[in-house]
């Protein structure tokens, strides 16, 4: 690193005249972007029925968004640095709103999937710009800590709110006297919010200095294609229909390694690199990025497996399942607020380290979920109109660990967000934010793929183990296993087989997630050495090689 880079100022923008409103606007936009990753999950069966989309292609409604979002974050972050963060923030929100309108009015599969990809592109522009705008709007110290606490809470709350809102909107038959399928509202709700946020941005946000003409095109191409390949390959790996050995998994992951290796080589030689490698050479930031890749991976996987468990095993309706996660929103807000107050007096290592231990405990608690999943008991429950886990108590078996997980993640997000962008020069804050967001998205895909593999392994083992018992249970009850249930989509035998085996896979995935959270904790306790008083100021970036 040159001395000029090392001494680069870390705060060069004029603060907003309306910092409170600026934070509200940024937080609402971030909430909209994050919740859109889950808001369509509950609506998938209805979308498939209305647009005649196959079960295999339905997954692309979720994957397409994650693919564009995760793959384009680095490019979005750097575009904000070069052409103005407010401008890119507004552009991203506008694209997101237009894409949401197209998705809500889609009449066929191709248009809907294209709209989801376009939504992901808009989110990739807006999200890193939002984080960078907080960094440059609020001075270091308590004000910035509180702003990051709210931002971090929105990141955690978004997934839970998406499930609740998706369940509610999907159940509607129209709005304002206009009849339409409820799933369309999960898209259309973004349109007024996104356009209003883009309209208000120039009134409350200050524009950053732009540096047009410096975009690293070779780096942008190799970096973007590399990340797209990573997210695509990991999404395929986590899909039961493909797995880790399928060519559609292996080829993208191999291509990703080659493309990202080329990307690093290009960045080392580029005069104006897309990702200045000095961003990664600081020990504090490297540890923060690594921990923020691992910890949210376990959290997002928790949402996936727990939502399946409480709907398909406990028997909750989609809307009730969404509300089951509502305490998570309150818990993470409380944890984030607690961390923002304590980070001025306690080193980030202790806060985030404790948070990961609490979250690991929550995941371990989920791994102890137990039901009577013997085929005879499951068949009896299903024939009576219930489900295998209908006797599971939400208050004693689920809620305590939801709250423990939420409190822990709130204590993780705030200090690690602060340390991840600490001492990043203002002209690099967009790409610094992009790296942080990319770590979370790629980590989420990796976590889901890894834990899905774990769950599938133990589910298949359980299925093989109980195969003879299922036949005996049906014979004893005198019931035909081919009898259709679930709106004629599944047979009774398939339902009993699933409910007799899923819990074994899900609890194993929770246990593996608990171990992943302990790995994040180990990274934090051993590598995150920055002191709390250092976060109260933006010093010059440490030259490369100095830690």
């Amino acid at each position: 690193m040159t001395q000029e880079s090392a001494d680069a100022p870390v705060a060069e923008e004029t603060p907003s005249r309306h910092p409170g409103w600026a934070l509200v606007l940024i937080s609402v936009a971030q909430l909209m972007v994050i919740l859109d990753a889950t808001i369509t999950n509950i609506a998938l069966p209805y979308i498939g029925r209305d647009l005649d989309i196959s079960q295999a292609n339905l997954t692309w409604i979720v994957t397409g968004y994650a693919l564009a979002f995760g793959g384009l974050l680095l490019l979005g972050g750097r575009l904000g640095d070069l052409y103005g963060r407010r401008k890119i923030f507004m552009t991203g929100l506008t694209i997101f709103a237009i894409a949401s309108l197209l998705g809500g009015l889609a009449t066929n599969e191709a248009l809907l999937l294209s709209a989801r990809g376009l939504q992901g592109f808009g989110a990739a522009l807006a999200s890193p710009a939002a984080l960078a705008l907080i960094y440059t709007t609020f001075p270091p110290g308590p004000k910035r800590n509180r702003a990051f606490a709210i931002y971090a809470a929105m990141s955690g709350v978004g997934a839970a709110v998406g499930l609740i809102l998706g369940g509610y909107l999907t159940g509607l038959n129209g709005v304002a006297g206009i009849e339409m399928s409820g799933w369309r509202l999960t898209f259309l709700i973004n349109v007024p919010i996104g356009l209003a946020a883009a309209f208000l941005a120039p009134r409350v946000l200050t524009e950053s200095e732009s540096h047009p003409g410096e975009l690293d095109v070779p780096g942008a191409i190799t970096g973007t294609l590399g990340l797209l390949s990573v997210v695509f390959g990991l999404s395929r790996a986590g899909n039961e229909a493909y797995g880790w050995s399928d060519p559609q998994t292996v080829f993208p992951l191999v291509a990703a390694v080659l493309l990202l290796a080329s990307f690093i080589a290009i960045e080392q030689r580029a005069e104006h690199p897309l990702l200045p490698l000095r961003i990664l050479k600081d020990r504090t930031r490297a540890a923060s990025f690594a921990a923020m890749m691992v910890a949210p991976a376990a959290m997002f996987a928790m949402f996936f497996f727990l939502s399946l468990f409480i709907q398909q095993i406990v028997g909750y309706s989609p809307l009730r399942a969404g509300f089951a996660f509502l305490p998570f929103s309150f818990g993470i807000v409380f944890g984030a607020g607690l961390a923002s107050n304590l980070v001025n007096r306690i080193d980030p290592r202790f806060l985030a380290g404790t948070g990961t231990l609490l979250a690991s405990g929550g995941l371990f608690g989920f791994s102890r979920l137990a039901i009577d999943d013997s085929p005879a008991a499951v068949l009896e429950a299903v024939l009576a109109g219930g489900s295998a886990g209908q006797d599971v108590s939400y208050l004693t078996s689920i809620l305590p660990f939801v709250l423990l997980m939420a409190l822990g993640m709130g204590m993780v997000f705030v200090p690690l967000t602060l340390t991840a962008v600490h001492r990043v020069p203002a002209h690099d804050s967009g790409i610094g934010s992009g790296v942080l967001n990319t770590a979370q998205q790629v980590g989420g895909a990796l976590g889901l793929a890894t834990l899905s593999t774990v769950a599938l392994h133990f589910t298949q083992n359980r299925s093989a183990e109980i195969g003879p018992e299922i036949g005996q249970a049906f014979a004893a009850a005198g019931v035909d296993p081919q009898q259709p249930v679930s709106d004629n989509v599944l047979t009774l035998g398939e339902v009993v087989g699933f409910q007799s085996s899923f819990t074994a896979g899900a609890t194993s995935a929770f246990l593996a997630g608990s171990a992943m959270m302990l790995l994040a904790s180990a990274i934090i306790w051993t590598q995150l050495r920055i002191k709390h008083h250092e976060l109260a100021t933006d010093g010059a970036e440490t030259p490369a090689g100095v830690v």
Side-chain angles (χ1 to χ4, degrees):
M1 182 190 306
T2 65
Q3 185 61 37
E4 181 182 3
S5 298
D7 296 334
V10 294
E12 62 186 24
E13 281 81 8
T14 303
S16 169
R17 291 175 295 174
H18 310 285
W21 286 111
L23 181 59
V24 169
L25 180 65
I26 292 170
S27 299
V28 169
Q30 177 68 4
L31 178 65
M32 179 181 69
V33 165
I34 296 299
L35 69 82
D36 224 67
T38 58
I39 194 172
T40 59
N41 286 11
I42 293 174
L44 290 179
Y46 304 91
I47 297 173
R49 184 181 60 201
D50 282 5
L51 299 185
D52 194 26
I53 302 176
S54 69
Q55 188 65 33
N57 286 346
L58 271 180
T59 60
W60 277 102
I61 296 175
V62 177
T63 304
Y65 181 79
L67 188 63
F69 189 19
L72 296 168
L73 276 166
L74 283 184
L75 177 61
R78 182 44 105 191
L79 288 175
D81 290 335
L82 296 182
Y83 302 109
R85 295 180 199 103
R86 188 182 70 185
K87 182 186 299 181
I88 297 301
F89 179 70
M90 294 167 57
T91 301
L93 290 177
T94 303
I95 291 174
F96 192 91
I98 293 172
S100 297
L101 178 63
L102 293 175
L105 300 178
T107 55
N108 56 63
E109 177 181 339
L111 181 56
L112 182 65
L113 295 182
S114 298
R116 282 297 275 171
L118 192 60
Q119 276 186 315
F121 174 52
L125 294 179
S127 192
L131 181 57
L133 284 166
I134 290 180
Y135 181 74
T136 55
T137 297
F138 295 89
K143 290 184 179 180
R144 181 181 291 176
N145 297 346
R146 285 193 293 271
F148 274 138
I150 294 173
Y151 177 89
M154 292 303 102
S155 299
V157 166
V161 172
L163 291 173
I164 298 169
L165 196 58
Y168 172 72
L169 293 175
T170 300
L172 298 179
N173 295 315
V175 63
I178 302 174
E179 290 190 9
M180 67 177 68
S181 299
W183 68 262
R184 295 186 181 277
L185 297 175
T186 64
F187 288 89
L188 296 176
I189 191 175
N190 297 319
V191 178
I193 298 174
L195 293 179
F199 174 76
L200 293 173
R203 292 154 178 79
V204 298
L205 297 174
T206 302
E207 183 60 284
S208 61
E209 180 182 349
S210 61
H211 308 276
E214 299 178 356
L215 180 62
D216 169 23
V217 175
I221 294 173
T222 53
T224 298
L225 291 178
L227 289 174
L228 286 171
S229 299
V230 167
V231 177
F232 179 82
L234 292 176
S235 298
R236 277 292 189 259
N239 189 320
E240 182 179 347
Y242 300 94
W244 289 94
S245 60
D246 190 273
Q248 291 195 42
T249 300
V250 175
F251 178 76
L253 292 179
V254 171
V257 171
L258 297 176
L259 285 165
L260 292 178
S262 301
F263 171 69
I264 292 173
I266 290 170
E267 299 309 275
Q268 289 176 330
R269 296 171 175 80
E271 183 178 359
H272 300 291
L274 179 77
L275 172 59
L277 296 183
R278 62 179 178 272
I279 297 289
L280 304 177
K281 291 180 179 179
D282 179 89
R283 177 176 181 171
T284 294
R285 287 197 292 271
S288 302
F289 293 146
M292 283 293 271
M293 176 178 286
V294 178
M299 184 191 76
F300 292 140
M302 180 274 292
F303 276 110
F304 178 78
F305 289 106
L306 189 59
S307 63
L308 286 177
F309 179 82
I310 61 180
Q311 287 185 83
Q312 301 190 30
I313 304 300
V314 182
Y316 281 16
S317 67
L319 183 57
R320 188 180 178 189
F323 275 104
F325 286 102
L326 186 59
F328 185 90
S329 302
F330 295 122
I332 200 168
V333 169
F334 178 80
L338 179 65
S340 71
N341 289 324
L342 294 179
V343 77
N344 299 314
R345 302 186 296 273
I346 300 176
D347 291 349
R349 172 170 62 147
F350 295 104
L351 292 174
T354 301
T356 48
L357 292 177
L358 291 174
S360 179
L363 287 164
F364 181 78
F366 291 132
S367 76
R368 311 304 296 170
L369 287 168
I371 64 170
D372 183 357
D373 57 0
S374 63
V378 173
L379 177 58
E380 181 181 356
V382 173
L383 289 176
S387 58
Q390 60 191 4
D391 294 329
V392 171
S393 170
Y394 175 77
L395 291 178
T396 59
S397 299
I398 297 176
L399 179 60
F401 306 115
V402 168
L403 292 174
L404 192 61
M405 182 81 177
L407 176 62
M409 292 310 297
M411 295 179 66
V412 169
F413 277 132
V414 173
L416 289 188
T417 301
L418 284 166
T419 56
V421 297
H422 181 60
R423 295 190 304 183
V424 174
H427 59 267
D428 285 335
S429 61
I431 188 61
S433 303
V435 173
L436 178 61
N437 281 283
T438 299
Q440 290 179 259
Q441 290 299 311
V442 172
L446 177 60
L448 187 56
T450 302
L451 298 186
S452 293
T453 302
V454 171
L456 180 61
H457 172 76
F458 284 94
T459 297
Q460 290 176 336
N461 284 352
R462 172 67 177 167
S463 297
E465 176 187 325
I466 63 175
E469 295 181 45
I470 292 178
Q472 294 168 7
F474 275 98
V479 179
D480 181 8
Q482 298 304 314
Q483 176 181 325
V485 293
S486 302
D487 296 328
N488 296 321
V489 175
L490 299 174
T491 66
L492 184 59
E494 289 172 329
V495 171
V496 171
F498 176 83
Q499 293 198 18
S500 298
S501 58
F502 177 78
T503 302
T507 52
S508 298
F510 288 133
L511 186 60
S514 179
M516 288 178 64
M517 197 65 75
L518 289 177
L519 173 61
S521 190
I523 294 172
I524 291 166
W525 287 108
T526 61
Q527 301 300 317
L528 197 64
R529 300 297 179 85
I530 189 171
K531 302 299 181 182
H532 65 274
H533 58 81
E534 296 179 63
L535 294 178
T537 182
D538 281 331
E541 187 178 23
T542 303
V546 179
V547 294

